[in-house]
Amino acid sequence: MSREEDEKLLFPSFAFPDCFPEAVTSGGEQKKARQRRRRRVKPEAAMAAAAAAAGESGGDDQAKKRRLSDEQARFLEMSFKKERKLETPRKVQLAAELGLDAKQVAVWFQNRRARHKSKLMEEEFSKLRSAHDAVVLQNCHLETELLKLKERLADVEEEKAKLAAAAAAAATAGGGGGGNSSPSSSSFSTVTYHSALVGQFGVEAAAAEEADLTYMSEYAYTNYMLDLAAAGYCGGVYDQFS
DNA sequence: TTCGTCAACGTGCACG
DNA sequence: CGTGCACGTTGACGAA
């Protein structure tokens, strides 16, 4: 059995006297035969073929392009599922079976591939957007955590200063006894705090905090992030694009 | 009227 | 050079 016969079993041959305007529109008869105009008045083989199929002789422009019928579209869609590109013989065969011009079939497949590609890109964009949103959200949480830790650090430093002042006062009042107080007390306090960080949030948090203490620009960045959060940035990152 | 869809078209590029 | 494709655009059309 030839491929063509095979196809005809699958897709009973359509006579397409109605490929063009009136058959296509959902409203069918009441819509009359619409005159769809192409921007170019260029006689196409397809149009001549369509006019012939519709039994129209007059050289009017009536057959000038029209939506493919549901059946044609369905058939083409099924073909597209099987093969994204058409070899020339297959294209000609398809066209013959559908009562279309081979060029129409080629154009349909080109447009279909374009739609398919844009759909894929849309899906990919959607996935990337979700991933990015998640990262932004996590970043917001981390920034918030960072702020809290900075506040705690400030408290600790303040407490440390108070203690140092009290110790100095006691030393002067007591007449210089117990020369054991070393200038490294500051470093002791920092180490203690660092240990607390490691214990509570892990090494990375402590390292991050340490890095943060080193660079003032980080603080500016934090404020920037807070501004963004306050402006609702975390919620609708992409609103401005959509 | 506006907007989205779709067939058809124009152009530039790759390939044999 | 001819052909086919990707990509962007145009214009007709239907729906909101």
Side-chain angles (χ1 to χ4, degrees):
Chain A
M1 180 180 286
S2 73
R3 181 168 184 175
E4 187 173 344
E5 289 168 320
D6 214 354
E7 289 288 354
K8 283 187 177 164
L9 277 184
L10 267 175
F11 309 104
S13 66
F14 309 121
F16 292 110
D18 53 354
C19 283
F20 292 86
E22 50 283 310
V24 181
T25 52
S26 49
E29 45 291 279
Q30 73 259 61
K31 301 265 182 180
K32 316 275 195 304
R34 271 194 199 84
Q35 287 197 327
R36 297 176 142 189
R37 299 271 151 234
R38 292 295 305 143
R39 65 191 146 149
R40 221 167 287 267
V41 189
K42 179 173 154 194
E44 296 285 340
M47 292 158 187
E56 292 163 4
S57 48
D60 58 37
D61 295 338
Q62 170 151 10
K64 223 136 233 173
K65 143 167 184 177
R66 275 20 274 237
R67 260 178 142 70
L68 305 179
S69 72
D70 289 346
E71 283 169 315
Q72 286 172 317
R74 214 178 312 132
F75 192 14
L76 288 167
E77 201 63 51
M78 291 177 70
S79 302
F80 183 76
K81 274 184 184 172
K82 285 194 280 189
E83 41 191 351
R84 293 286 144 84
K85 288 191 180 184
L86 291 180
E87 299 295 325
T88 301
R90 175 67 182 138
K91 186 197 308 173
V92 171
Q93 181 199 6
L94 250 182
E97 290 179 17
L98 292 171
L100 296 172
D101 186 79
K103 183 170 182 185
Q104 280 181 289
V105 174
V107 164
W108 188 91
F109 266 77
Q110 282 170 15
N111 287 324
R112 186 64 184 80
R113 280 193 293 272
R115 287 195 292 272
H116 180 66
K117 183 176 181 179
S118 68
K119 186 184 172 188
L120 287 182
M121 298 207 30
E122 220 168 278
E123 289 171 358
E124 187 177 355
F125 174 77
S126 184
K127 285 179 192 168
L128 288 173
R129 186 173 71 174
S130 298
H132 182 263
D133 279 349
V135 168
V136 167
L137 187 62
Q138 186 188 17
N139 193 47
C140 284
H141 289 150
L142 289 173
E143 293 294 344
T144 303
E145 195 58 45
L146 177 60
L147 264 200
K148 287 179 187 170
L149 291 172
K150 282 189 170 183
E151 284 172 8
R152 286 183 51 188
L153 176 63
D155 290 346
V156 168
E157 293 292 352
E158 189 180 334
E159 187 64 25
K160 187 182 71 177
K162 283 180 185 171
L163 288 175
T172 51
N180 222 3
S181 62
S182 88
S184 67
S185 63
S186 153
S187 116
F188 172 79
S189 162
T190 301
V191 167
T192 303
Y193 177 67
H194 187 275
S195 301
L197 265 185
V198 171
Q200 194 165 353
F201 298 106
V203 175
E204 283 186 16
E209 174 67 12
E210 220 164 47
D212 231 47
L213 292 175
T214 310
Y215 301 104
M216 282 302 290
S217 60
E218 287 292 323
Y219 181 71
Y221 174 71
T222 300
N223 286 334
Y224 169 68
M225 289 303 295
L226 280 177
D227 288 344
L228 286 183
Y233 181 82
C234 290
V237 186
Y238 295 98
D239 290 350
Q240 55 187 315
F241 299 115
S242 53

